[in-house]
Amino acid sequence: MTPPPRTAAVPETTTDSSDNTTTSPWKPTWSPGHTRPGLPPLTVVHDPHDDHAFMAAALAAHTPQAGRITVHPTPVASAPASLAHDLLRSMGKHLPLAGSEDGTYWTGNTETAWRALAAWTLALRTGHLIVTRAHRISSRHFEYLFALRELTRIRLTLLFHGPLPPALATALATLRHEEAHTLAAAHRAFTTPAPPPPTGPFAWWEAGEQFPPREDEPCFLLPTRRMPGRGVIEAAARHLGRAVLPLPAAGSFPPEPDEPTALLAHRLHTRIAHPVHAAALAVRVFTGRPATQLQLPAAHTAPPAPPNRGPEHPAPTWAVDLIEAARCFGQLEGRQPSARPLRLSPWDQTAVTEAAHACGLHEHQAPATKRHSASTASRSGWPAAALRGAGSTPTPSRAA
């Protein structure tokens, strides 16, 4: 059964000169004295002697299925986006490979990283965030964490293994907070009960896909409206030099994933950090339509059917959270909710193509003459780079 739809947090709105309501982009900024009412108190756990038992308790509290995430920040990483990257990894999301142009973009684009984190936090129903080694993060990172708390209403617990930084000590004067000084109190703070997130048949937190991908791991053909026969799959396996697992035909994905589909879904959840790119690829997979204009269906409804095609089925369970995260990300970027397709920029399209390769998805290449192959490629909804790179290592590029 598909989980019920969820309502994302709505960012601040403004009104333009024509009295039309518009949505302002969310920025990870926080001002003392402007705390939203009803937020859970900030929890500060003191471990001045750096007792390993405190760290062990915090790490043991990491239970995504209960909506609780523990992050152990990268030591001495002070870049504005670095803590968001650590939090994304704690949620099971992998960023593009280090050293790539796309990876460099993530490193320098702070707002994209924190909006992506906020979108996943909302869509995956994360309700409690525990940050260890909090005495070593920067004052700017405290500001970003408090902004994330304001937006998503999460319970935030900070574990300090040393003196409180002056910036935090000043902020605590304006924040409703609790303090824990003993191990027993720390255990209570780390495991504070919270309503568990609604669980569907597809458990995203069970994904444990290796990244970077193994060279010999099984791969898939991007679904088309007709499911390829055994001979086509065997030919693709010889061409790619690895096993090719079958997927349902596009437009025919059942609500519950079979074993190959579950494997692919886990890759989509773990190997793509950008919510819009993950959703674009998911919708491309289960509908078979080009990803240049991403039509985001509601979690419980079907995407609009193109002309001359029958009615579509609701999004499969494994794609629901990806679609919801993309919707949240669009709202946080200030995009007005609309039934119109979300146009992907050329950078977005390149990133989606690279994500397909990272997930082991390859365009079907039917045996034909070169002229026929070229004609087939020109009709594809994927960028030409995706067709040229099938079965090879993609050249990373900048994401939008």
Side-chain angles (χ1 to χ4, degrees):
M1 180 179 179
T2 303
R6 296 169 298 278
T7 302
V10 179
E12 181 183 357
T13 59
T14 59
T15 303
D16 61 22
S17 57
S18 60
D19 293 329
N20 294 321
T21 300
T22 58
T23 305
S24 300
W26 175 75
K27 297 179 182 295
T29 57
W30 175 81
S31 300
H34 292 80
T35 302
R36 292 176 66 178
L39 285 179
L42 172 70
T43 303
V44 177
V45 178
H46 297 268
D47 174 28
H49 304 295
D50 201 1
D51 186 343
H52 175 71
F54 281 79
M55 177 67 79
L59 296 178
H62 179 77
T63 48
Q65 63 268 36
R68 185 185 301 115
I69 300 293
T70 299
V71 60
H72 187 52
T74 303
V76 302
S78 58
S82 61
L83 183 58
H85 296 167
D86 289 333
L87 286 161
L88 286 167
R89 295 185 188 100
S90 293
M91 299 178 79
K93 310 296 175 185
H94 289 89
L95 275 68
L97 294 174
S100 69
E101 184 179 350
D102 199 10
T104 301
Y105 173 80
W106 274 91
T107 299
N109 200 312
T110 302
E111 289 186 0
T112 294
W114 283 93
R115 285 173 188 157
L117 172 63
W120 289 120
T121 300
L122 292 165
L124 302 181
R125 285 87 72 199
T126 299
H128 188 180
L129 176 61
I130 301 169
V131 182
T132 69
R133 297 287 175 196
H135 63 291
R136 301 189 68 173
I137 65 176
S138 68
S139 57
R140 181 176 294 180
H141 285 155
F142 283 124
E143 178 183 342
Y144 295 159
L145 282 174
F146 295 156
L148 181 70
R149 171 177 173 260
E150 294 279 342
L151 176 76
T152 63
R153 296 182 174 271
I154 56 172
R155 180 177 293 276
L156 179 60
T157 300
L158 305 175
L159 173 57
F160 292 87
H161 310 271
L164 296 185
L168 179 66
T170 301
L172 289 181
T174 66
L175 289 171
R176 187 167 71 94
H177 65 282
E178 301 171 343
E179 300 194 31
H181 295 269
T182 66
L183 183 58
H187 273 289
R188 289 193 296 272
F190 297 148
T191 58
T192 296
T199 57
F202 180 80
W204 61 267
W205 55 79
E206 294 178 355
E209 282 300 300
Q210 177 174 324
F211 191 83
R214 302 189 311 273
E215 292 184 1
D216 60 344
E217 69 177 12
C219 59
F220 308 88
L221 296 179
L222 279 161
T224 59
R225 287 286 164 175
R226 174 177 293 182
M227 188 171 181
R230 180 177 177 181
V232 173
I233 291 179
E234 290 176 349
R238 289 192 297 271
H239 173 71
L240 297 170
R242 65 186 75 179
V244 176
L245 302 180
L247 293 171
S252 301
F253 276 76
E256 310 302 332
D258 58 14
E259 188 172 345
T261 304
L263 175 61
L264 171 59
H266 283 149
R267 292 181 186 178
L268 296 175
H269 276 266
T270 59
R271 296 182 180 180
I272 312 175
H274 198 301
V276 173
H277 301 163
L281 187 52
V283 172
R284 167 66 176 86
V285 166
F286 73 78
T287 66
R289 296 206 292 272
T292 53
Q293 292 189 19
L294 176 58
Q295 186 78 42
L296 289 177
H300 61 299
T301 64
N308 303 321
R309 287 187 182 174
E312 297 281 349
H313 298 289
T317 55
W318 52 265
V320 167
D321 290 336
L322 302 178
I323 292 170
E324 187 64 22
R327 191 184 305 282
C328 292
F329 185 87
Q331 288 181 309
L332 296 175
E333 279 205 319
R335 294 173 182 162
Q336 190 73 5
S338 171
R340 292 177 298 176
L342 171 63
R343 295 181 182 273
L344 301 183
S345 71
W347 285 341
D348 283 310
Q349 295 175 41
T350 299
V352 172
T353 301
E354 294 170 1
H357 283 285
C359 294
L361 277 162
H362 299 274
E363 189 82 25
H364 172 266
Q365 298 201 2
T369 62
K370 291 184 179 179
R371 183 172 62 182
H372 183 268
S373 298
S375 175
T376 301
S378 68
R379 293 194 299 267
S380 170
W382 284 87
L387 302 176
R388 293 195 300 269
S392 63
T393 302
T395 303
S397 179
R398 181 174 175 180

